[in-house]
């Protein structure tokens, strides 16, 4: 994604433990597709179904790559890379989506690969994006007014993570999303009252806003500085 297609420059965000680098189709696609095919990472995430690099690029990456308001980061675990001697440790993805310059608002999304779950990775990835989106421009941020976190209402882990990072629970949007991943048509209809393969999602909505960021920011930074 070029800077001209988004209202800010998509740049590397990093601290001593991780870095968020703009997603590179040639570098990051294969590992992402492998992780999704190997593990049940899409249970609660409305990604288009893909079985190959080509399907991922066509069904997900190509529409996102050039869309204003959308950007995708690869999470690199610098701490693991230092210990293992690897050149990098690709740990998952982080996204800003539905970003609106007019409304000064965005939504973040995160997918951590299983080997890096329950480590410092998620906390630092979310923390870096919160500082970038909510800090004022003189401090190097975008100065947005609202950052949302939306997840499947049944995704208890994601809901706990949102609260831990300082997001406020705002409610459930019923039948908010529909997607065709995972279960059989029979299981979907039994579980969600839908027809065919259309899975319905009740969405839990969380947010942090600019008028509470000054209070919440030190707590986010403290979480990032904890030794895990």
């Amino acid at each position: 994604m070029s800077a001209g297609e988004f209202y800010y420059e998509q740049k590397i965000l990093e601290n001593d433990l991780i870095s968020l680098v703009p997603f590179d189709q040639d570098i990051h696609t294969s590992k992402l597709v492998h992780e999704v095919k190997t593990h049940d990472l899409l249970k609660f995430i409305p990604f288009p179904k893909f079985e190959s690099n080509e399907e991922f690029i066509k069904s997900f990456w190509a529409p996102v790559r050039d869309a204003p308001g959308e950007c995708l980061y690869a999470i690199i675990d610098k701490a693991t890379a230092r210990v293992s001697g690897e050149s990098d440790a690709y740990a998952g993805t982080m996204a800003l989506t539905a970003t609106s310059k007019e409304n000064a608002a965005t939504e973040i999304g995160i997918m951590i690969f299983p080997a890096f779950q329950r480590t410092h990775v998620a906390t630092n990835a979310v923390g870096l994006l919160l500082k970038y989106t909510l800090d004022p421009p003189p401090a190097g941020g975008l100065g947005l007014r609202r950052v949302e976190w939306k997840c499947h209402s049944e995704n208890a882990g994601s809901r706990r993570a949102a609260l831990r990072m300082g997001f406020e629970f705002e409610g459930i949007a019923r039948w908010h999303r529909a997607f065709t991943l995972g279960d059989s048509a029979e299981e979907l209809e039994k579980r969600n009252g839908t027809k065919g393969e259309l899975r319905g999602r009740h969405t839990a909505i969380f947010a942090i806003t600019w008028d509470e960021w000054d209070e919440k920011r030190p707590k986010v930074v403290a979480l990032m500085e904890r030794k895990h």
Side-chain angles (χ1 to χ4, degrees):
M1 183 180 301
S2 67
E5 292 158 345
F6 206 73
Y7 80 84
Y8 65 87
E9 180 183 0
Q10 190 180 355
K11 61 183 180 180
I12 294 175
L13 307 173
E14 62 184 337
N15 60 14
D16 290 340
L17 295 175
I18 72 161
S19 60
L20 303 180
V21 302
F23 187 88
D24 188 310
Q25 170 184 311
D26 297 328
I27 297 173
H28 302 122
T29 296
S30 293
K31 174 86 178 279
L32 174 58
V33 171
H34 171 76
E35 291 288 334
V36 166
K37 290 175 61 178
T38 305
H39 306 286
D40 189 19
L41 295 178
L42 299 184
K43 180 178 181 181
F44 296 116
I45 301 175
F47 266 25
K49 188 174 183 179
F50 51 83
E51 295 291 336
S52 67
N53 292 5
E54 293 73 21
E55 287 181 352
F56 167 77
I57 292 169
K58 180 181 179 180
S59 65
F60 179 80
W61 177 237
V64 167
R65 178 180 54 209
D66 300 321
E70 308 290 323
C71 66
L72 186 67
Y73 294 94
I75 306 170
I76 307 301
D77 183 2
K78 295 162 64 176
T80 294
R82 285 194 296 268
V83 173
S84 65
E86 300 176 14
S87 58
D88 64 52
Y90 179 22
T93 62
M94 195 86 197
L96 290 178
T97 185
T99 305
S100 168
K101 182 178 181 179
E102 292 75 19
N103 294 319
T106 192
E107 177 187 342
I108 67 173
I110 187 169
M111 176 194 293
I112 303 297
F113 301 150
F116 299 90
Q117 293 176 3
R118 296 180 178 84
T119 69
H120 59 273
V121 169
T123 297
N124 282 268
V126 174
L128 283 173
L129 267 193
L130 285 177
K131 291 199 293 182
Y132 182 47
T133 53
L134 290 168
D135 280 356
L142 299 177
L144 300 184
R145 294 188 175 192
R146 176 178 174 85
V147 177
E148 293 185 335
W149 177 305
K150 297 178 181 177
C151 64
H152 197 301
S153 62
E154 296 180 12
N155 191 344
S158 183
R159 296 181 67 163
R160 287 194 299 269
L163 293 172
R164 180 172 178 267
M165 295 303 300
F167 286 80
E168 299 290 337
F169 176 61
E170 295 186 336
I172 301 291
R174 297 175 297 168
W175 302 113
H176 177 248
R177 300 291 298 270
F179 49 101
T180 58
L181 305 174
D183 303 328
S184 67
E186 293 78 13
E187 284 295 319
L188 294 174
E189 185 168 349
K190 177 181 178 181
R191 181 179 179 189
N192 291 323
T194 60
K195 299 295 184 183
E197 295 185 353
L198 193 63
R199 183 195 298 189
R201 181 179 103 167
H202 302 317
T203 297
I205 300 176
F206 302 80
I208 294 179
T209 58
W210 67 327
D211 50 353
E212 60 193 17
W213 178 234
D214 283 347
E215 177 185 354
K216 291 179 179 291
R217 191 184 192 282
K219 300 175 184 178
V220 170
V221 171
L223 286 172
M224 296 170 70
E225 293 175 346
R226 287 180 56 184
K227 303 300 181 182
H228 295 272

